PDB file of all heavy atoms in Angstrom:
ATOM      1  N   ARG A 133      19.493  25.000  61.817  1.00 98.00           N
ATOM      2  CA  ARG A 133      18.421  24.065  62.112  1.00 98.00           C
ATOM      3  C   ARG A 133      17.106  24.822  62.329  1.00 98.00           C
ATOM      4  O   ARG A 133      17.114  26.024  62.622  1.00 98.00           O
ATOM      5  CB  ARG A 133      18.774  23.244  63.355  1.00 98.00           C
ATOM      6  CG  ARG A 133      19.991  22.361  63.144  1.00 98.00           C
ATOM      7  CD  ARG A 133      20.262  21.443  64.308  1.00 98.00           C
ATOM      8  NE  ARG A 133      20.826  22.119  65.473  1.00 98.00           N
ATOM      9  CZ  ARG A 133      21.485  21.501  66.447  1.00 98.00           C
ATOM     10  NH1 ARG A 133      21.663  20.186  66.384  1.00 98.00           N
ATOM     11  NH2 ARG A 133      21.959  22.167  67.485  1.00 98.00           N
ATOM     12  N   PRO A 134      15.961  24.159  62.157  1.00 98.00           N
ATOM     13  CA  PRO A 134      14.680  24.816  62.437  1.00 98.00           C
ATOM     14  C   PRO A 134      14.671  25.413  63.844  1.00 98.00           C
ATOM     15  O   PRO A 134      15.187  24.811  64.792  1.00 98.00           O
ATOM     16  CB  PRO A 134      13.670  23.668  62.304  1.00 98.00           C
ATOM     17  CG  PRO A 134      14.315  22.722  61.332  1.00 98.00           C
ATOM     18  CD  PRO A 134      15.786  22.782  61.652  1.00 98.00           C
ATOM     19  N   GLY A 135      14.086  26.600  63.949  1.00 98.00           N
ATOM     20  CA  GLY A 135      14.138  27.338  65.202  1.00 98.00           C
ATOM     21  C   GLY A 135      15.365  28.210  65.317  1.00 98.00           C
ATOM     22  O   GLY A 135      15.601  28.830  66.355  1.00 98.00           O
ATOM     23  N   LEU A 170      16.741  38.068  52.688  1.00 98.00           N
ATOM     24  CA  LEU A 170      16.922  36.677  53.097  1.00 98.00           C
ATOM     25  C   LEU A 170      15.830  36.236  54.062  1.00 98.00           C
ATOM     26  O   LEU A 170      15.382  35.083  54.015  1.00 98.00           O
ATOM     27  CB  LEU A 170      18.300  36.485  53.731  1.00 98.00           C
ATOM     28  CG  LEU A 170      18.656  35.057  54.152  1.00 98.00           C
ATOM     29  CD1 LEU A 170      18.565  34.084  52.977  1.00 98.00           C
ATOM     30  CD2 LEU A 170      20.049  35.015  54.783  1.00 98.00           C
ATOM     31  N   ALA A 171      15.382  37.124  54.933  1.00 98.00           N
ATOM     32  CA  ALA A 171      14.301  36.769  55.859  1.00 98.00           C
ATOM     33  C   ALA A 171      13.066  36.298  55.099  1.00 98.00           C
ATOM     34  O   ALA A 171      12.376  35.358  55.514  1.00 98.00           O
ATOM     35  CB  ALA A 171      13.956  37.968  56.745  1.00 98.00           C
ATOM     36  N   ARG A 172      12.783  36.935  53.966  1.00 98.00           N
ATOM     37  CA  ARG A 172      11.621  36.542  53.157  1.00 98.00           C
ATOM     38  C   ARG A 172      11.914  35.277  52.356  1.00 98.00           C
ATOM     39  O   ARG A 172      11.019  34.448  52.133  1.00 98.00           O
ATOM     40  CB  ARG A 172      11.225  37.682  52.213  1.00 98.00           C
ATOM     41  CG  ARG A 172      10.374  38.768  52.862  1.00 98.00           C
ATOM     42  CD  ARG A 172      11.148  39.663  53.800  1.00 98.00           C
ATOM     43  NE  ARG A 172      10.280  40.562  54.561  1.00 98.00           N
ATOM     44  CZ  ARG A 172      10.725  41.386  55.493  1.00 98.00           C
ATOM     45  NH1 ARG A 172      12.020  41.447  55.784  1.00 98.00           N
ATOM     46  NH2 ARG A 172       9.877  42.148  56.168  1.00 98.00           N
ATOM     47  N   GLU A 173      13.142  35.109  51.931  1.00 98.00           N
ATOM     48  CA  GLU A 173      13.488  33.927  51.141  1.00 98.00           C
ATOM     49  C   GLU A 173      13.465  32.642  51.966  1.00 98.00           C
ATOM     50  O   GLU A 173      13.311  31.553  51.397  1.00 98.00           O
ATOM     51  CB  GLU A 173      14.870  34.115  50.509  1.00 98.00           C
ATOM     52  CG  GLU A 173      14.911  35.166  49.415  1.00 98.00           C
ATOM     53  CD  GLU A 173      16.283  35.350  48.794  1.00 98.00           C
ATOM     54  OE1 GLU A 173      17.291  34.912  49.400  1.00 98.00           O
ATOM     55  OE2 GLU A 173      16.350  35.934  47.694  1.00 98.00           O
ATOM     56  N   LEU A 174      13.613  32.764  53.283  1.00 98.00           N
ATOM     57  CA  LEU A 174      13.628  31.576  54.138  1.00 98.00           C
ATOM     58  C   LEU A 174      12.245  31.234  54.685  1.00 98.00           C
ATOM     59  O   LEU A 174      12.127  30.503  55.672  1.00 98.00           O
ATOM     60  CB  LEU A 174      14.637  31.764  55.277  1.00 98.00           C
ATOM     61  CG  LEU A 174      16.095  31.857  54.846  1.00 98.00           C
ATOM     62  CD1 LEU A 174      17.019  31.891  56.053  1.00 98.00           C
ATOM     63  CD2 LEU A 174      16.495  30.713  53.914  1.00 98.00           C
ATOM     64  N   ARG A 175      11.220  31.735  54.032  1.00 98.00           N
ATOM     65  CA  ARG A 175       9.839  31.409  54.411  1.00 98.00           C
ATOM     66  C   ARG A 175       9.680  29.892  54.543  1.00 98.00           C
ATOM     67  O   ARG A 175      10.100  29.122  53.671  1.00 98.00           O
ATOM     68  CB  ARG A 175       8.872  31.934  53.352  1.00 98.00           C
ATOM     69  CG  ARG A 175       7.420  31.475  53.527  1.00 98.00           C
ATOM     70  CD  ARG A 175       6.553  31.934  52.377  1.00 98.00           C
ATOM     71  NE  ARG A 175       6.351  33.382  52.433  1.00 98.00           N
ATOM     72  CZ  ARG A 175       5.383  33.967  53.124  1.00 98.00           C
ATOM     73  NH1 ARG A 175       4.521  33.233  53.823  1.00 98.00           N
ATOM     74  NH2 ARG A 175       5.252  35.275  53.106  1.00 98.00           N
ATOM     75  N   GLY A 176       9.071  29.468  55.643  1.00 97.00           N
ATOM     76  CA  GLY A 176       8.771  28.063  55.845  1.00 97.00           C
ATOM     77  C   GLY A 176       9.871  27.266  56.509  1.00 97.00           C
ATOM     78  O   GLY A 176       9.668  26.094  56.837  1.00 97.00           O
ATOM     79  N   LYS A 177      11.050  27.879  56.731  1.00 97.00           N
ATOM     80  CA  LYS A 177      12.156  27.141  57.329  1.00 97.00           C
ATOM     81  C   LYS A 177      12.267  27.344  58.835  1.00 97.00           C
ATOM     82  O   LYS A 177      13.143  26.758  59.476  1.00 97.00           O
ATOM     83  CB  LYS A 177      13.475  27.519  56.652  1.00 97.00           C
ATOM     84  CG  LYS A 177      13.581  27.044  55.212  1.00 97.00           C
ATOM     85  CD  LYS A 177      15.007  27.103  54.711  1.00 97.00           C
ATOM     86  CE  LYS A 177      15.139  26.459  53.337  1.00 97.00           C
ATOM     87  NZ  LYS A 177      16.550  26.434  52.855  1.00 97.00           N
ATOM     88  N   ASP A 178      11.414  28.174  59.411  1.00 98.00           N
ATOM     89  CA  ASP A 178      11.448  28.460  60.855  1.00 98.00           C
ATOM     90  C   ASP A 178      12.818  28.996  61.274  1.00 98.00           C
ATOM     91  O   ASP A 178      13.376  28.597  62.303  1.00 98.00           O
ATOM     92  CB  ASP A 178      11.082  27.218  61.671  1.00 98.00           C
ATOM     93  CG  ASP A 178      10.844  27.548  63.147  1.00 98.00           C
ATOM     94  OD1 ASP A 178      10.554  28.725  63.452  1.00 98.00           O
ATOM     95  OD2 ASP A 178      10.974  26.632  63.986  1.00 98.00           O
ATOM     96  N   VAL A 179      13.329  29.918  60.471  1.00 98.00           N
ATOM     97  CA  VAL A 179      14.597  30.589  60.774  1.00 98.00           C
ATOM     98  C   VAL A 179      14.374  32.085  60.674  1.00 98.00           C
ATOM     99  O   VAL A 179      13.850  32.572  59.660  1.00 98.00           O
ATOM    100  CB  VAL A 179      15.712  30.156  59.792  1.00 98.00           C
ATOM    101  CG1 VAL A 179      16.949  31.039  59.939  1.00 98.00           C
ATOM    102  CG2 VAL A 179      16.077  28.686  60.019  1.00 98.00           C
ATOM    103  N   THR A 180      14.745  32.824  61.710  1.00 98.00           N
ATOM    104  CA  THR A 180      14.618  34.274  61.678  1.00 98.00           C
ATOM    105  C   THR A 180      15.925  34.898  61.196  1.00 98.00           C
ATOM    106  O   THR A 180      17.017  34.369  61.426  1.00 98.00           O
ATOM    107  CB  THR A 180      14.264  34.845  63.064  1.00 98.00           C
ATOM    108  OG1 THR A 180      15.314  34.530  63.993  1.00 98.00           O
ATOM    109  CG2 THR A 180      12.950  34.283  63.565  1.00 98.00           C
ATOM    110  N   ARG A 233      11.348  35.291  68.842  1.00 96.00           N
ATOM    111  CA  ARG A 233      11.020  34.535  67.639  1.00 96.00           C
ATOM    112  C   ARG A 233      10.031  35.247  66.732  1.00 96.00           C
ATOM    113  O   ARG A 233       9.906  34.888  65.560  1.00 96.00           O
ATOM    114  CB  ARG A 233      10.424  33.167  68.026  1.00 96.00           C
ATOM    115  CG  ARG A 233      11.346  32.260  68.800  1.00 96.00           C
ATOM    116  CD  ARG A 233      12.597  31.937  68.037  1.00 96.00           C
ATOM    117  NE  ARG A 233      12.326  31.336  66.728  1.00 96.00           N
ATOM    118  CZ  ARG A 233      13.241  31.190  65.760  1.00 96.00           C
ATOM    119  NH1 ARG A 233      14.459  31.640  65.940  1.00 96.00           N
ATOM    120  NH2 ARG A 233      12.917  30.630  64.613  1.00 96.00           N
ATOM    121  N   ASN A 236      11.364  39.271  62.943  1.00 98.00           N
ATOM    122  CA  ASN A 236      11.967  38.664  61.757  1.00 98.00           C
ATOM    123  C   ASN A 236      11.993  39.685  60.628  1.00 98.00           C
ATOM    124  O   ASN A 236      11.027  40.435  60.432  1.00 98.00           O
ATOM    125  CB  ASN A 236      11.162  37.426  61.326  1.00 98.00           C
ATOM    126  CG  ASN A 236      11.838  36.626  60.236  1.00 98.00           C
ATOM    127  OD1 ASN A 236      13.064  36.602  60.135  1.00 98.00           O
ATOM    128  ND2 ASN A 236      11.054  35.958  59.420  1.00 98.00           N
TER     129      ASN A 236
END
Side-chain angles (χ1 to χ4, degrees):
R133 296 186 286 200
L170 183 57
R172 278 73 189 176
E173 290 180 343
L174 294 186
R175 171 185 289 273
K177 292 195 173 183
D178 191 22
V179 169
T180 61
R233 298 300 304 167
N236 189 29

